[in-house]
Amino acid sequence: MDELWSGYLLPGGIIVAQILALLVPLLVIVAFLTLFERKVMAAMQLRLGPNVVGPFGILQPFADALKMIFKETIIPTGANKVIFLAAPMLTFILAMIAWAVIPVGAGLVIANINVGVLYLFAISSLGVYGIVMAGWSSNSRYPFLAALRSASQMVSYEVSMGFIIISVLLCVGSLNLSKIVEAQRTVWFALPLFPMFIIFFISTLAETNRHPFDLPEAESELVAGYQVEYSSMSFGLFMLGEYANMILMCGMTTVLFLGGWLAPYPLPTPVWMGPFWFALKVTLLLFVFIWVRATLPRYRYDQLMRLGWKVFLPFSLAWLVLTAAVLVYFDLAPKTVM
Amino acid sequence: MIVQALAFYLFAAVTVAAGFMVIAARNPVHSVLFLILAFFNAAGLFVLLGAEFLAMILVIVYVGAVAVLFLFVVMMLDINFAELREGFLNYLPIGLVIGGILLVELFLVLGAWAIAPEAAKFASTPTPPVEQIANTHAIGQVLYTKYMFAFQVSGLILLVAMIGAIVLTLRVREGVRKQRISVQVSRTREEAVALRKVEPRQGV
């Protein structure tokens, strides 16, 4: 009995508590990100934005959530039911489980695994399945077009993202996300790898299907793309997953390029300040996400493909070779094993 | 240890079941989705073995890229299922022979370790033990030194395959107006806009 308690129940309980401590704030942040986006966009377009529910419209996300929960889930007759219902769940689950490896502070990570970057890359590359499955199983034209667009778009931009991640890894010598952050104590990688930082950010825009690359849900041509047939909470899960993915991608950019939980000044900071700096950097990146949405028109599809394959891919490949050459020539490459 | 054993049996059972469903499912899209499930569980088995790098690469390469393209193609195909199943008995012997050969080879590989214990030692010598080094480093150490030639050759084969696919599908159509970004961007006001004096009732 004692062994059962110390060997299984206690560690299991601790892990569950850690997961809840991460996911509950995350879901609250996701809810308020929708409000943040509407408020920021409204300010940029000289409107007021939501201001009725609660003071300054602060309770708007809860009103939206309640409305969504109480609506009826409609499954189209021609739809493939299992896949149709599995697709939003998959999108949501993938957006959640990726957070297991993101370090929000020194030692504040659920799973400090050796291949953290690869895990993140793997999970983010799976995001396409939610959209493809939704598009195919809806058995309708617009969602299907969106699924095709999304599949080729996400595969295209992953390639250059992979090269960018490799050039960061060359500077660190480890795939562990905490070690990547620690390696940025002297200088954040956004400075020495500056063009890669920008390309990575743009690629994350494409990877999360955000403006100006939101062709999978282009509302003016595909109505709402892969979400057309979804209603109620199955649509809500897509929304939640999409916004959680945005935060995840911003977190990934923060860890890889903006020094993660490190403070922008070189003084020693208490551990509890780590999540604060992390959240601040992520919020800044999210603001840019919204800023881009309010500013830029949508890309045409051939422009999107050209940017991914003919501009980003050669450039990131060349920069990868350059990074490796500089590291070797000036003998800067990390020596320590593991 | 119980948890690990349970996890192994779970992953293994789902892998085998999903693998069976890949060939048994009536709908090709379902087949691809079961294939993805099988890949996932195989990755789980790799993690249990302590080969987390291989697990992640399996998910990134096969699930994240190859299976997406599979799904992409299968979704767009208009397949006649009855026609597809007609030739089943014709191809059954060939399939059985190939499957049998693979099975025998697997038995030979694994059986060799039981028959000749020194073979197992030979297989595990190139890298230090798992406790001393992360398997990402271990793979890097042998892949880019000892097996450099094989690595380069496999890259070359992939390149040839890629060029072959491009050559097979490339077609040059006449009279297609293409985007020429540099020309379009470097257009000036003088060559793009012309001011004309238009007489009434005459047109340009």
Side-chain angles (χ1 to χ4, degrees):
Chain A
M1 198 62 212
D2 201 36
E3 189 199 359
L4 182 71
W5 170 252
S6 63
Y8 296 105
L9 294 182
L10 190 64
I14 291 174
I15 290 175
V16 169
Q18 282 175 333
I19 292 171
L20 286 179
L22 183 74
L23 285 193
V24 172
L26 178 68
L27 285 176
V28 174
I29 292 170
V30 166
F32 278 104
L33 178 59
T34 58
L35 178 71
F36 180 63
E37 175 169 37
R38 289 166 74 176
K39 277 288 191 187
V40 170
M41 293 248 305
M44 284 174 179
Q45 296 163 349
L46 299 181
R47 295 184 285 115
L48 280 179
N51 63 348
V52 178
V53 192
F56 307 108
I58 205 127
L59 296 177
Q60 183 70 40
F62 299 103
D64 289 343
L66 274 179
K67 188 185 90 173
M68 235 170 235
I69 289 168
F70 285 115
K71 293 224 168 181
E72 183 190 351
T73 305
I74 297 167
I75 301 176
T77 336
N80 192 317
K81 280 193 191 61
V82 179
I83 299 180
F84 185 80
L85 290 177
M89 292 182 206
L90 185 77
T91 306
F92 184 71
I93 291 170
L94 286 175
M96 293 290 120
I97 60 172
W99 281 91
V101 295
I102 298 258
V104 293
L108 293 179
V109 52
I110 292 176
N112 194 12
I113 58 174
N114 275 332
V115 287
V117 177
L118 289 181
Y119 176 83
L120 266 188
F121 192 57
I123 297 296
S124 69
S125 68
L126 296 184
V128 66
Y129 282 110
I131 298 177
V132 169
M133 281 162 68
W136 180 78
S137 66
S138 294
N139 198 10
S140 159
R141 294 294 169 274
Y142 290 124
F144 187 66
L145 274 175
L148 294 183
R149 284 183 175 189
S150 161
S152 38
Q153 170 177 337
M154 289 174 90
V155 168
S156 309
Y157 278 82
E158 251 155 42
V159 186
S160 58
M161 266 175 87
F163 281 128
I164 296 166
I165 290 175
I166 292 174
S167 58
V168 171
L169 295 182
L170 279 177
C171 303
V172 181
S174 170
L175 296 166
N176 185 312
L177 286 168
S178 299
K179 292 213 174 91
I180 291 176
V181 175
E182 285 298 332
Q184 302 181 55
R185 262 198 200 282
T186 42
V187 60
W188 296 354
F189 287 143
L191 288 179
L193 299 173
F194 178 70
M196 302 302 259
F197 171 55
I198 301 296
I199 292 183
F200 189 80
F201 184 76
I202 298 174
S203 299
T204 57
L205 284 178
E207 194 75 2
T208 47
N209 297 322
R210 290 283 299 180
H211 277 257
F213 308 115
D214 65 334
L215 288 127
E217 47 176 298
E219 68 274 2
S220 51
E221 36 184 313
L222 291 186
V223 199
Y226 61 95
Q227 307 167 336
V228 171
E229 307 291 346
Y230 282 89
S231 59
S232 171
M233 216 43 212
S234 54
F235 169 76
L237 283 181
F238 267 125
M239 279 309 260
L240 284 175
E242 206 168 281
Y243 279 88
N245 251 333
M246 271 168 69
I247 305 178
L248 173 73
M249 282 295 168
C250 290
M252 202 168 158
T253 317
T254 308
V255 167
L256 289 179
F257 289 101
L258 294 179
W261 69 79
L262 297 175
Y265 46 83
L267 302 173
T269 44
V271 177
W272 58 265
M273 284 290 276
F276 169 74
W277 286 117
F278 184 81
L280 189 71
K281 290 168 188 175
V282 169
T283 313
L284 277 178
L285 287 173
L286 284 173
F287 179 77
V288 181
F289 262 65
I290 298 164
W291 187 7
V292 165
R293 180 177 172 191
T295 313
L296 295 177
R298 185 176 302 127
Y299 261 56
R300 224 172 43 214
Y301 203 76
D302 62 312
Q303 291 172 328
L304 174 86
M305 283 295 150
R306 178 181 170 271
L307 187 70
W309 289 107
K310 291 188 177 173
V311 180
F312 282 180
L313 184 61
F315 189 83
S316 55
L317 187 57
W319 197 270
L320 173 65
V321 174
L322 184 71
T323 311
V326 166
L327 285 176
V328 171
Y329 186 76
F330 293 105
D331 207 23
L332 293 167
K335 297 281 186 311
T336 49
V337 174
M338 290 180 77
Chain B
M1 289 311 286
I2 299 172
V3 176
Q4 279 185 11
L6 284 179
F8 169 77
Y9 284 116
L10 179 73
F11 285 139
V14 177
T15 309
V16 173
F20 177 74
M21 286 307 290
V22 172
I23 50 171
R26 288 182 168 272
N27 191 327
V29 172
H30 291 180
S31 284
V32 177
L33 292 176
F34 277 116
L35 186 66
I36 293 162
L37 187 65
F39 281 146
F40 249 109
N41 286 280
L45 289 175
F46 272 132
V47 170
L48 286 183
L49 279 174
E52 68 260 18
F53 181 75
L54 283 183
M56 293 304 151
I57 291 298
L58 184 72
V59 174
I60 292 173
V61 173
Y62 282 94
V63 183
V66 174
V68 174
L69 298 180
F70 270 7
L71 203 58
F72 193 88
V73 173
V74 166
M75 277 190 334
M76 286 201 290
L77 288 179
D78 188 22
I79 301 172
N80 186 349
F81 299 114
E83 204 173 283
L84 204 65
R85 293 193 177 264
E86 259 174 18
F88 181 70
L89 279 179
N90 292 347
Y91 295 116
L92 190 64
I94 301 176
L96 281 181
V97 166
I98 292 175
I101 289 173
L102 282 175
L103 192 67
V104 168
E105 280 177 347
L106 272 179
F107 272 121
L108 281 179
V109 168
L110 296 177
W113 291 352
I115 299 163
E118 59 268 25
K121 202 173 79 217
F122 180 71
S124 61
T125 36
T127 61
V130 186
E131 296 81 37
Q132 290 172 20
I133 188 168
N135 55 55
T136 316
H137 281 103
I139 289 174
Q141 278 178 1
V142 290
L143 188 61
Y144 300 120
T145 53
K146 200 173 171 186
Y147 299 106
M148 190 63 196
F149 182 67
F151 179 70
Q152 292 282 356
V153 167
S154 55
L156 207 62
I157 292 172
L158 286 175
L159 181 70
V160 170
M162 193 175 84
I163 294 173
I166 294 173
V167 168
L168 283 177
T169 53
L170 188 72
R171 52 178 182 151
V172 182
R173 281 181 297 172
E174 296 294 322
V176 179
R177 287 162 66 94
K178 285 197 172 140
Q179 298 280 325
R180 283 182 298 170
I181 306 292
S182 56
V183 176
Q184 288 164 349
V185 170
S186 60
R187 228 159 56 131
T188 57
R189 184 190 160 87
E190 282 70 38
E191 51 189 291
V193 182
L195 264 181
R196 300 261 181 92
K197 177 83 176 164
V198 183
E199 294 295 324
R201 293 171 179 275
Q202 288 183 3
V204 182

